[in-house]
Amino acid sequence: MPEDELELLHGHLEATGERPVETTASRYLGEAEAVVADALAPGTPESVVRERVAQARDLLSHVEGTGDQTADEHVDAARVLCDALLDDE
């Protein structure tokens, strides 16, 4: 799995934490950021990375909107990256 895309995914999720995001969405986004950060740990097996990205995608599926247009754009970009990373076999 391309590490640069994984880092980009984490960056989009991290950026939502700097925005005025609705509380429920914030919880899902924070959890998604944490699981992707876990995937970025050195030496993480590919199977665990895929599992973490899949978990992040599932968490993002619970975010209907954030209440902030910029955060919504980051969420959309994160969803696209999750799909791309998981379809990249």
Side-chain angles (χ1 to χ4, degrees):
M1 190 166 287
E3 188 170 330
D4 55 335
E5 288 183 17
L6 194 58
E7 288 175 356
L8 186 57
L9 170 58
H10 184 263
H12 281 295
L13 294 170
E14 187 175 50
T16 65
E18 300 169 6
R19 305 296 308 167
V21 172
E22 185 271 324
T23 303
T24 301
S26 179
R27 289 182 188 131
Y28 285 113
L29 293 168
E31 185 66 22
E33 180 186 347
V35 298
V36 173
D38 184 55
L40 282 168
T44 304
E46 181 77 16
S47 62
V48 174
V49 172
R50 292 190 66 73
E51 181 181 322
R52 296 294 182 256
V53 173
Q55 288 172 323
R57 181 169 63 179
D58 180 60
L59 288 161
L60 292 173
S61 75
H62 296 284
V63 178
E64 294 180 21
T66 66
D68 179 79
Q69 182 179 355
T70 301
D72 287 343
E73 292 169 3
H74 284 294
V75 170
D76 290 342
R79 285 182 174 131
V80 168
L81 283 166
C82 284
D83 289 342
L85 286 165
L86 293 171
D87 290 341
D88 184 33
E89 291 198 356

